[in-house]
Amino acid sequence: MINEILNDEIKRAKELLNNHINDKNNDELSGVDVADCLRVLKKNNEEEYFSYLSRLDVQSLVYSATDMPEHILKDLLTIIPNDKLVNVTKELESDEQLELLEHIQEIDEDKAKIIFDELDDNDKKDILKLSNYDDDEAGAYMQIELFKANLNDSIHQSIQNLKLLKESDEIEHIFKLFAVDEKGVLKYAIPLSDLVINDFSLKIKDVVKKNKEDKFKAIFAHDNDPIEDVVAKFHEFDLSVLPIVDSKGVLVGRITTDDIHEFIQESATEQIYNLVGVDDDAEYEDESIIKASKSRAFWLLINLFTAFLSSAIIGIFDQTIQTYVALAILMPIVASMGGNTGTQALTVTVRRLALGEIEFGDAKKVIKREIGISLVNGLFFALIVGIVSFIWFKTPLLGIVIAMAMLINLGFSGLFGTFIPLTLKKFNIDPAVGSSVLLTTATDIIGFFSFLGLATWILL
């Protein structure tokens, strides 16, 4: 069965690559798809993998380079001559040029320098400008290529400029014309549909005057704004493109929906891995076992120490457990329910933090809500577990003990599942990194201590 699935995967990859190679327009596959197909072949049949690598056009390979694992990119760099790499790189938009050079630099600094040195002066200037932004700033994700016009330009001039931009492949996915003043300060954002329905002899400022001024009011972000704020604006205003300005309001770039989509995908993957203390850079299926193991070891080591702490809590009540063996049987139920409840609260909180829906200032409201949800569920499941325990072990007080412990643990699980990520965010620590380890420790300690403590107090 597994071999059949594997053969189908290989067959599908070859079929997609063949269609792409035979399509003169090369519109069949995206860069991500090409990288995925090559990864499948590399893993299962290296001879065919190198065959397709040599048959694919340079443009397709370069466009997919940023989505390739490191070892495939190494193969690509040995096959494609430097001059062809340079020519294709010149065709990319500024943000894609920077991303490609950064990927190549991680593997071969000399190769990256050769490509950079052969680029046009304008390309070099744009790449250096983008590289000065921090990874979490809007400027790091923007494209410098723009469709813009001065307020005194005519629509005809603007359309001619658009033709030149498209013919030279300098810019893709044009949604709006950005109108600027003599100093380059952004004034308006005019959709193309509103632009072309007017008399082409009109000036841009006349188009604005013919309509309500607010209609073309530009929603923008500053180049130093956190990228999370940009994502929030795309969601809030349902944007296709967002102009980026500097501290003086001068238009310096734009961010499009595909840039945001890529960021959200990468962030979501990173959040999922970080939530359990895993390094996403080491989690490619084709990475070495040793490298992947090392990336996970740190948080497993932390978890080992916290597990000893939980065991120490159990050790305090060893006499109680010896007297009532049923407690050892029921303990995992309390710990498991608390852990799952806390994880639910943690996941919701981390997601809302990532989307910018909440911050530390909302802690009181968010914690109150999650504790409320946990207590409602706690009452319900405490009743069920209490009744089952009573029927199982014929001890009414034991049912009361586990019901009370369940309610206490679930209530604290909702608290810690919310408080931990909010606090980490407050101190500028990624709220997803290792949160689950801290949460598990808290819920285990509270669960074991409340259950065994109540048992000692009530049953003995």
Side-chain angles (χ1 to χ4, degrees):
M1 181 65 179
I2 294 176
N3 287 334
E4 289 180 8
I5 295 174
L6 188 59
N7 289 333
D8 287 342
E9 188 179 22
I10 297 171
K11 183 179 179 182
R12 178 62 176 163
K14 290 166 63 177
E15 182 182 339
L16 289 172
L17 289 176
N18 284 330
N19 290 339
H20 182 73
I21 291 169
N22 294 327
D23 176 31
K24 295 180 180 180
N25 295 319
N26 286 332
D27 292 330
E28 287 292 322
L29 291 180
S30 66
V32 176
D33 293 330
V34 171
D36 285 341
C37 290
L38 289 173
R39 188 183 291 117
V40 169
L41 293 178
K42 170 78 172 178
K43 185 172 60 176
N44 297 289
N45 190 322
E46 286 221 357
E47 185 178 343
E48 288 192 326
Y49 158 74
F50 279 108
S51 172
Y52 278 101
L53 203 59
S54 62
R55 290 166 57 197
L56 282 162
D57 63 289
V58 175
Q59 189 175 52
S60 295
L61 289 172
V62 173
Y63 282 1
S64 62
T66 55
D67 299 297
M68 291 178 177
E70 186 176 298
H71 66 282
I72 293 183
L73 184 55
K74 283 182 181 178
D75 294 337
L76 184 151
L77 294 178
T78 60
I79 288 176
I80 302 178
N82 290 344
D83 59 334
K84 290 188 176 180
L85 276 173
V86 171
N87 290 334
V88 176
T89 304
K90 286 179 180 179
E91 297 179 10
L92 300 175
E93 294 180 338
S94 52
D95 59 329
E96 294 172 336
Q97 289 178 331
L98 175 62
E99 187 177 3
L100 175 62
L101 286 173
E102 286 177 341
H103 276 69
I104 294 175
Q105 188 176 27
E106 292 174 2
I107 297 172
D108 189 336
E109 289 190 14
D110 292 335
K111 177 89 71 172
K113 187 177 185 306
I114 290 171
I115 296 172
F116 178 80
D117 289 341
E118 291 298 319
L119 295 176
D120 299 334
D121 288 341
N122 287 335
D123 286 336
K124 292 179 184 177
K125 182 180 176 182
D126 291 345
I127 291 169
L128 291 173
K129 181 178 180 179
L130 290 176
S131 65
N132 286 328
Y133 291 102
D134 293 335
D135 289 341
D136 61 347
E137 292 182 325
Y141 295 85
M142 70 181 183
Q143 304 160 9
I144 292 178
E145 296 81 9
L146 292 161
F147 176 39
K148 64 178 182 178
N150 187 280
L151 288 169
N152 289 314
D153 289 344
S154 67
I155 296 178
H156 176 74
Q157 289 174 297
S158 300
I159 297 299
Q160 289 300 113
N161 184 33
L162 174 61
K163 276 187 67 177
L164 293 174
L165 289 172
K166 293 300 293 182
E167 287 173 357
S168 62
D169 286 329
E170 187 174 340
I171 188 172
E172 295 181 356
H173 310 304
I174 299 174
F175 305 98
K176 293 182 178 182
L177 168 71
F178 300 124
V180 299
D181 64 12
E182 296 294 337
K183 296 181 179 180
V185 174
L186 176 66
K187 293 298 182 181
Y188 306 101
I190 306 174
L192 290 184
S193 56
D194 287 287
L195 192 68
V196 298
I197 61 174
N198 286 278
D199 184 342
F200 278 24
S201 64
L202 286 176
K203 293 183 177 181
I204 301 300
K205 63 182 180 181
D206 296 327
V207 176
V208 176
K209 286 179 182 178
K210 283 179 60 179
N211 297 271
K212 292 182 179 179
E213 191 167 326
D214 285 348
K215 179 177 180 180
F216 301 130
K217 181 180 179 181
I219 299 167
F220 62 88
H222 288 93
D223 54 354
N224 296 124
D225 285 347
I227 186 62
E228 289 83 2
D229 292 352
V230 174
V231 173
K233 284 188 176 181
F234 268 85
H235 283 297
E236 182 180 355
F237 299 103
D238 193 23
L239 300 174
S240 54
V241 63
L242 183 71
I244 306 297
V245 302
D246 63 14
S247 58
K248 297 179 181 178
V250 174
L251 181 66
V252 293
R254 66 170 193 156
I255 294 178
T256 59
T257 49
D258 57 326
D259 301 316
I260 294 300
H261 178 69
E262 183 178 347
F263 170 76
I264 291 173
Q265 278 192 317
E266 290 174 355
S267 297
T269 301
E270 184 179 359
Q271 291 283 345
I272 291 168
Y273 281 135
N274 285 343
L275 198 58
V276 289
V278 171
D279 178 9
D280 61 319
D281 289 335
E283 289 309 309
Y284 283 115
E285 187 177 344
D286 28 62
E287 288 292 351
S288 71
I289 292 176
I290 299 299
K291 183 176 180 180
S293 299
K294 285 181 178 179
S295 75
R296 304 185 191 188
F298 174 75
W299 285 107
L300 288 176
L301 183 63
I302 298 296
N303 189 66
L304 177 62
F305 283 112
T306 59
F308 279 127
L309 183 59
S310 299
S311 296
I313 297 295
I314 297 173
I316 295 173
F317 300 98
D318 59 341
Q319 292 299 321
T320 305
I321 296 173
Q322 289 177 25
T323 304
Y324 281 90
V325 179
L327 297 175
I329 298 173
L330 296 174
M331 272 196 308
I333 298 175
V334 178
S336 176
M337 290 297 292
N340 288 331
T341 300
T343 301
Q344 289 175 340
L346 176 68
T347 303
V348 170
T349 304
V350 169
R351 179 182 179 278
R352 295 185 69 190
L353 283 168
L355 294 176
E357 295 178 358
I358 57 173
E359 53 189 24
F360 190 79
D362 303 308
K364 184 177 180 181
K365 180 180 66 176
V366 176
I367 290 174
K368 183 178 178 181
R369 170 182 167 79
E370 289 301 327
I371 291 178
I373 293 171
S374 299
L375 287 176
V376 169
N377 285 331
L379 284 168
F380 177 71
F381 289 106
L383 181 62
I384 292 176
V385 174
I387 293 172
V388 171
S389 300
F390 163 61
I391 296 172
W392 191 353
F393 297 102
K394 311 301 182 186
T395 306
L397 287 179
L398 182 59
I400 294 174
V401 166
I402 193 170
M404 292 174 63
M406 183 81 74
L407 186 59
I408 292 170
N409 197 25
L410 264 63
F412 274 100
S413 297
L415 167 64
F416 287 119
T418 310
F419 181 75
I420 289 173
L422 284 169
T423 303
L424 291 176
K425 184 69 172 179
K426 174 67 174 178
F427 291 99
N428 295 319
I429 301 172
D430 188 339
V433 176
S435 289
S436 61
V437 175
L438 300 176
L439 175 66
T440 300
T441 303
T443 55
D444 281 354
I445 290 174
I446 294 295
F448 293 145
F449 191 83
S450 60
F451 182 46
L452 297 176
L454 285 169
T456 303
W457 177 44
I458 295 174
L459 298 177
L460 295 184

